[in-house]
Amino acid sequence: MARIVLATFGSLGDLHPVIALALGLQQRGHRAEIATNEFYRAKIGALGLPFHPLRPDLSMSDEAMVRRIMDGSGGSEYLMRELVFPSVRGMYADLATVATTADLLVTGELVCAAPLLAEKTGVNWVFQALSPISFFSVSDPP
């Protein structure tokens, strides 16, 4: 049995695939745990999955923040510069607490501290992407 930590940020569209993966891993006898926004603690706990808070603490009920993130001309920049990048140290600390003793760390696009943690600690790390736009390529742009 492997202990697998799955870390993600975002909307339910980001969270639900991770939940499905965690439940599938559990059915196969593994211990799957989810690290994400505090906002989702109750949802994950209700499914019987271990929850770990992960900074930044983005509340999807903050309509003004969600509106700014979804803005087509500046939302991505706001998300990264104002919310994600300033929280990398906290995110690293949160991940280090739960992932360094895991058999595998699986992370989504916004978990920027994961490659740093994997490089420093040697934890096995896998990146998962839900959208082709997450793969940046000069020769084959999305």
Side-chain angles (χ1 to χ4, degrees):
M1 174 173 85
R3 181 173 165 263
I4 302 168
V5 174
L6 301 107
T8 189
F9 286 110
S11 68
L12 292 174
D14 298 287
L15 181 64
H16 283 169
V18 170
I19 289 173
L21 180 57
L23 293 173
L25 289 166
Q26 267 193 342
Q27 289 174 350
R28 288 163 180 80
H30 301 290
R31 178 173 171 82
E33 305 174 14
I34 296 180
T36 191
N37 309 44
E38 182 69 37
F39 182 77
Y40 296 124
R41 178 187 290 272
K43 181 175 187 67
I44 293 165
L47 296 168
L49 294 166
F51 171 85
H52 303 284
L54 189 60
R55 288 175 272 187
D57 185 16
L58 306 176
S59 173
M60 297 300 112
S61 62
D62 182 342
E63 292 178 20
M65 179 196 69
V66 172
R67 198 173 305 110
R68 282 192 72 188
I69 290 171
M70 298 308 292
D71 177 68
S73 63
S76 295
E77 182 176 1
Y78 165 71
L79 173 66
M80 300 311 290
R81 287 184 191 249
E82 302 296 324
L83 302 174
V84 175
F85 291 154
S87 300
V88 169
R89 287 181 197 269
M91 184 188 308
Y92 183 97
D94 295 342
L95 275 180
T97 301
V98 299
T100 54
T101 58
D103 296 298
L104 180 64
L105 171 63
V106 180
T107 65
E109 297 96 339
L110 297 178
V111 187
C112 300
L116 304 170
L117 184 72
E119 179 71 26
K120 184 170 182 179
T121 67
V123 65
N124 293 315
W125 168 60
V126 175
F127 170 78
Q128 59 89 15
L130 297 172
S131 171
I133 201 163
S134 299
F135 296 103
F136 297 107
S137 170
V138 173
S139 59
D140 190 16

